[in-house]
Amino acid sequence: MYRRLSFSFVLFALVALPLYGADSSRSWSFAVSGDSRNCGDVVMPAIAADALKHNVAFYWHLGDLRAIYGPDEDFVQERSREGKPTDLAEYEKDAWDDFIANQIKPWGETPVFLGIGNHETTPPKNRAAFIEHFHQYLDRPEIKEQRLKDNPKAIQPKTYFHWMRDGIDFIYLDNATGSDFETAQMQWIQGVLDRDRKDDAIHTIVVGMHEALPQSISANHSMNESPMGIETGTRVYHMLLSMQNDAHKMVYVLASHSHYFMDGIFNTEYWRTNGGVLPGWIVGTAGAERYPLPPDAHNAKAAKANVYGYLVATVNPEGKAPGTIEFKFEELQEDSIPQDVVQRFTKPFIHGCFVGNRRNIPIQ
């Protein structure tokens, strides 16, 4: 009787396993976007509410949580509604807690994976402060388990990390300062990709970062901004290209930093003649001041300026190979903002975030 009961329990446990590592052919989805400063406390709750309708397994933020160099407009508005002035020192102290309260909590129990952007290293903030403040997100169980599996001595979390799910390696790279990848990170990503190359269970690689890799359509606001950014970013691009072409893994590259949506960011003359074009997206559309599209945006598959929204990624769409991911941009409208958010910030402020909060001059 004891043996039968034990077998039944084991069978139930196997059937009840979570999606992590369970069925690599099963369809599921996740959400991704970045750049939620300025009006992010208004837009991010709407992203969460809409994405949760898609039953997303997690949300991935690609950096630039709050402006830091000066108070975000939504922060000022909320304090003004409370009859309080906005003091810069107080803002700098409270900005990240404001992000957690207004932009992470709307996700409820849905896991949030948090990337670092350049505004997270704007003084008085820095990487060490970011790791300390967001330790629980950088040390999520999935990340910690993978980090210790890679290196048992890697006790503390870093701003670059990866985790695996259903044959997909999700990798976040840190180019928050200097627009480049520093030496230790370059060694780390090489090791991660070398292991993925040899692992038949890994069929897909999704790489997220804040600034786009060099020579994209968004080159004017990317890793092209520094010589080391060009050098290290180009090396990483070729690593990923080799994973796609030689190791026959599916590769997808995600970034934000530029505050618009674009699909097909690497369809440039440079990459068409220097190895090949990787699938790439920019989705800096979570509330930050919106930018006009760059001159070569017509070469992208799709591009939209002056929009808010996020990518919903469907893994294993029907009729596609296991590990295939389809990305769709979900644009939010003014009436997408949850009513409790409208009440807190007022309709005129919400309207201002949609008709304003934009830069009219392209970034040079």
Side-chain angles (χ1 to χ4, degrees), residues 29-32 44-60 103-112 310-312 330 332 338:
S29 63
F30 63 93
V32 58
M44 279 287 286
I47 289 177
D50 196 73
L52 292 177
K53 295 177 184 177
H54 294 279
N55 196 32
V56 295
F58 61 83
Y59 170 68
W60 197 358
Q103 300 189 32
I104 290 185
K105 284 190 176 179
W107 292 93
E109 298 301 315
T110 300
V112 173
Y310 66 100
L311 286 175
V312 60
E330 295 287 346
L332 301 177

Side-chain angles (χ1 to χ4, degrees), residues 46-349:
I47 289 177
D50 196 73
L52 292 177
K53 295 177 184 177
H54 294 279
N55 196 32
V56 295
F58 61 83
Y59 170 68
W60 197 358
H61 195 298
L62 302 179
D64 276 10
L65 320 178
R66 302 274 71 192
I68 303 303
Y69 64 79
D72 300 275
E73 289 83 345
D74 50 24
F75 186 93
V76 174
Q77 170 69 2
E78 188 159 32
R79 288 188 62 82
S80 176
R81 293 268 291 161
E82 297 170 351
K84 300 176 182 177
T86 301
D87 176 78
L88 179 59
E90 187 176 9
Y91 162 75
E92 291 171 344
K93 177 177 67 71
D94 294 342
W96 284 350
D97 286 335
D98 171 84
F99 169 78
I100 292 171
N102 291 299
Q103 300 189 32
I104 290 185
K105 284 190 176 179
W107 292 93
E109 298 301 315
T110 300
V112 173
F113 293 89
L114 199 57
I116 190 172
N118 58 296
H119 282 262
E120 281 70 72
T121 63
T122 297
K125 305 298 189 184
N126 54 45
R127 278 190 178 87
F130 180 80
I131 292 173
E132 180 180 3
H133 203 95
F134 295 104
H135 188 279
Q136 71 180 94
Y137 301 98
L138 299 175
D139 206 34
R140 285 192 54 81
E142 305 91 331
I143 297 173
K144 182 176 183 179
E145 178 184 357
Q146 188 60 52
R147 186 179 71 244
L148 293 174
K149 182 179 179 180
D150 294 344
N151 178 6
K153 296 181 180 180
I155 305 300
Q156 296 300 322
K158 293 183 179 294
T159 51
Y160 51 90
F161 51 86
H162 74 130
W163 76 99
M164 296 183 183
R165 174 173 178 150
D166 295 351
I168 304 172
D169 195 355
F170 293 93
I171 304 170
Y172 191 82
L173 299 179
D174 172 2
N175 52 18
T177 59
S179 301
D180 65 56
F181 304 128
E182 46 89 24
T183 302
Q185 185 177 190
M186 289 296 291
Q187 295 171 345
W188 175 83
I189 185 60
Q190 183 69 71
V192 169
L193 294 178
D194 284 348
R195 289 189 292 274
D196 285 349
R197 180 183 294 270
K198 300 171 185 176
D199 190 346
D200 291 338
I202 297 297
H203 41 59
T204 306
I205 297 165
V206 182
V207 182
M209 64 198 72
H210 187 63
E211 297 190 13
L213 294 173
Q215 314 302 344
S216 72
I217 294 173
S218 186
N220 62 334
H221 197 55
S222 73
M223 293 185 75
N224 276 82
E225 293 181 65
S226 77
M228 281 301 295
I230 295 173
E231 194 274 328
T232 57
T234 300
R235 282 167 56 195
V236 167
Y237 189 99
H238 282 292
M239 290 180 198
L240 297 174
L241 198 63
S242 177
M243 295 298 291
Q244 174 184 270
N245 296 343
D246 303 331
H248 306 295
K249 312 283 185 178
M250 284 173 277
V251 176
Y252 305 93
V253 186
L254 309 171
S256 57
H257 194 48
S258 294
H259 303 163
Y260 44 71
F261 163 70
M262 187 177 293
D263 175 4
I265 66 173
F266 298 117
N267 185 29
T268 61
E269 179 66 21
Y270 181 89
W271 286 121
R272 288 194 298 269
T273 58
N274 286 274
V277 174
L278 286 171
W281 290 259
I282 285 175
V283 61
T285 53
E289 175 191 47
R290 294 167 295 175
Y291 298 164
L293 295 172
D296 292 335
H298 59 276
N299 290 323
K301 290 182 180 178
K304 288 187 175 184
N306 298 319
V307 292
Y308 299 123
Y310 66 100
L311 286 175
V312 60
T314 302
V315 179
N316 304 320
E318 186 176 352
K320 301 289 185 178
T324 300
I325 305 177
E326 290 185 351
F327 293 88
K328 180 185 177 185
F329 183 66
E330 295 287 346
E331 182 178 347
L332 301 177
Q333 305 298 332
E334 192 168 339
D335 61 6
S336 304
I337 307 302
Q339 280 305 304
D340 64 317
V341 177
V342 175
Q343 291 172 4
R344 282 173 53 212
F345 289 94
T346 74
K347 287 185 178 181
F349 182 80

Side-chain angles (χ1 to χ4, degrees), residues 1-6:
M1 174 63 116
Y2 176 79
R3 288 182 179 176
R4 288 182 182 175
L5 195 59
S6 297

